[in-house]
Amino acid sequence: MTTTAPSGFQTGFAIRPDLVVEAARAEDVRTAVADAAARGLPVRVHATGHGQPGAIEGGVLISTRRMDSVEIDPVRRTARIGAGVTWGQVIEAAVPYGLAPLNGSSPSVGAVSYTLGGGLSVLAREFGYAADHVHALDVVTADGVLRHASPDSEPGLFWALRGGGHRLGVVTAMEIGLVEAARLYGGSIAFHGDGDGDERGVAAEVAGRYLEWTRTVPDTLTSSLAAIRYPDLPQLPEPLRGRYVISVRVAYTGSAAEGERLVAPLRAIGPAAADSLREMTYADSHTIHSDPPFPHAYYGDSVVLDDLDAGLAARVLELTGPKAPMMTVVQLNHLGGALAARPAVDNAVPYREAGFLLRLLSPLDGTDVASVRALYAEVAGLLAPGTLGRSLGFSFGGGDRTEGFHDARTQKRLAGLVSRHDPASLFGGSYGISPGGR
């Protein structure tokens, strides 16, 4: 044990535990949990720190970053992943076999924690949530017991951990299915949302055209819309520097020729500021979103929507665009397709009927959390009539608010399992708070 907390991707919230356990194997986790329970100390978990829900004060922090083994079974098309593994490591191990995991947009995100929150991948509409593909998990529960959760062993835990987050224990390893995806057609097409001086801008038009386009695409195409005011920095490409940019990101496993046909309506919107749509290897899939690779401070939250019309989308962009009180990154994920289907073995992933996921993220450098929350509350109020809830996987800093992460029926079942497996609340608070970061 040590008192030195690990650094992570999220730098906006303090990490000040009483003790830090650098776990190298499952037995280290089991010992740490048992010791913390005996002392009455709360337990939190830290892998890469992407999804840290807020400050960590006191208690025991278990760092899983040293648990970084990846084993690929190309015959069964599975990966056994340690708790500290990032998606980039899994991609690197799987690609030589023509296989791919259902990873998110950033290769530096922790694979296990991402999946426990559901896991919205770059191929989500074709293959569903990453949690739907989990075969088994090893988890240390609050009684200090290492359990194997699968359809045949600990079925209650198996149901809850796939979409319910960390609240029931510390997962030390996961076995998950892979898909055949050696290559894909994808990338992004970006437009100047400020209209080159036109006060009306073109962001609303792009958003409206995008929403119209999503009604026409096949389930094998996954996409999102993003809007961001880029800072005026010399390291940014000239077409983006200091501009308000709205872009569409695409991932499609069909042929490049069919991909070109499908994106033609996007290119018809108007002159593009940048266009990277192309055929690529799956190893290059991270370039679709090109998420920032460097640690920084940020706050984020989300709204799960049954649907969204062009008028409301335009209003959201107006609230969060260049005239907003702080820089806000908006991302709208098109859902549906395989995301709407229940897996063969049910899990706790909620809101499968949703049509879209709206994500908001704001850098905290020079901006206070209270101001960000006020803006987000205004956006949430605007969208309230069509809101189903919030996404557990996209509540960076907003994890201190537990409402809306699951529908009432799912939350009730999760709460019952928590009462059974963690009656002393070793892993913290009411159901919904993730006690660690990806």
Side-chain angles (χ1 to χ4, degrees):
M1 290 190 179
T2 177
T3 57
T4 303
S7 60
F9 191 82
Q10 164 66 280
T11 63
F13 299 95
I15 304 178
R16 291 189 289 259
D18 295 322
L19 293 171
V20 177
V21 176
E22 288 275 3
R25 54 200 180 105
E27 180 60 22
D28 297 336
V29 175
R30 193 202 65 74
T31 301
V33 170
D35 184 68
R39 300 185 187 199
L41 296 174
V43 174
R44 301 292 184 268
V45 185
H46 189 278
T48 67
H50 272 259
Q52 186 180 326
I56 296 175
E57 299 282 353
V60 175
L61 178 65
I62 300 175
S63 171
T64 61
R65 59 184 175 180
R66 293 172 59 192
M67 302 175 69
D68 59 355
S69 65
V70 180
E71 300 173 15
I72 304 295
D73 185 333
V75 176
R76 296 178 60 232
R77 294 191 302 181
T78 61
R80 180 171 172 81
I81 301 168
V85 169
T86 65
W87 277 126
Q89 293 171 276
V90 184
I91 294 170
E92 183 179 6
V95 159
Y97 302 103
L99 300 173
L102 293 177
N103 57 281
S105 58
S106 171
S108 63
V109 165
V112 169
S113 293
Y114 156 99
T115 305
L116 298 184
L120 187 64
S121 83
V122 295
L123 301 177
R125 280 176 40 82
E126 181 171 3
F127 296 107
Y129 289 97
D132 299 343
H133 296 259
V134 173
H135 294 186
L137 303 113
D138 294 337
V139 57
V140 176
T141 46
D143 54 4
V145 175
L146 176 62
R147 303 175 187 273
H148 184 72
S150 72
D152 302 318
S153 174
E154 303 285 359
L157 284 173
F158 186 64
W159 171 84
L161 290 169
R162 296 173 302 132
H166 296 260
R167 185 61 181 80
L168 281 155
V170 183
V171 172
T172 61
M174 172 178 73
E175 182 182 315
I176 190 168
L178 304 172
V179 300
E180 293 184 358
R183 42 72 58 202
L184 54 81
Y185 175 88
S188 69
I189 181 169
F191 304 90
H192 286 144
D194 46 22
D196 286 318
D198 184 344
E199 289 299 320
R200 296 172 300 164
V202 297
E205 180 186 353
V206 175
R209 297 277 288 273
Y210 170 73
L211 289 170
E212 183 179 306
W213 176 74
T214 62
R215 319 296 182 191
T216 69
V217 298
D219 292 351
T220 47
L221 190 150
T222 302
S223 69
S224 63
L225 178 86
I228 178 174
R229 164 67 75 175
Y230 283 95
D232 189 2
L233 297 174
Q235 57 264 46
L236 290 173
E238 181 63 36
L240 306 180
R241 190 183 308 165
R243 302 296 300 265
Y244 181 51
V245 175
I246 185 163
S247 60
V248 178
R249 288 82 67 90
V250 172
Y252 172 62
T253 57
S255 70
E258 182 63 8
E260 286 284 308
R261 187 190 72 79
L262 288 170
V263 303
L266 299 177
R267 289 190 167 129
I269 291 174
D275 185 343
S276 67
L277 292 165
R278 68 201 188 279
E279 186 166 34
M280 66 178 72
T281 66
Y282 196 83
D284 290 328
S285 61
H286 66 279
T287 64
I288 295 172
H289 294 76
S290 296
D291 289 343
F294 49 85
H296 55 287
Y298 51 92
Y299 181 97
D301 213 336
S302 61
V303 180
V304 182
L305 303 167
D306 60 357
D307 203 353
L308 183 66
D309 63 43
L312 279 176
R315 179 65 178 134
V316 169
L317 294 178
E318 183 180 348
L319 288 173
T320 58
K323 295 180 181 179
M326 75 286 298
M327 176 181 171
T328 300
V329 181
V330 176
Q331 179 162 309
L332 182 68
N333 289 82
H334 181 210
L335 305 180
L339 295 166
R342 288 283 175 188
V345 180
D346 198 18
N347 59 35
V349 175
Y351 309 129
R352 290 182 180 268
E353 70 274 30
F356 293 93
L357 167 66
L358 180 75
R359 297 156 53 183
L360 304 171
L361 188 146
S362 297
L364 290 181
D365 296 333
T367 302
D368 64 284
V369 171
S371 297
V372 177
R373 285 178 172 169
L375 174 63
Y376 288 12
E378 188 173 2
V379 173
L382 176 71
L383 298 173
T387 295
L388 300 174
R390 298 163 63 216
S391 172
L392 181 60
F394 299 104
S395 60
F396 316 130
D400 56 344
R401 297 189 299 109
T402 65
E403 71 274 8
F405 285 144
H406 297 91
D407 58 272
R409 183 177 180 181
T410 301
Q411 183 165 332
K412 182 178 180 180
R413 184 176 175 185
L414 288 168
L417 286 163
V418 169
S419 296
R420 174 185 169 190
H421 288 283
D422 187 15
S425 195
L426 185 71
F427 298 115
S430 59
Y431 202 89
I433 296 181
S434 167
R438 293 199 294 267

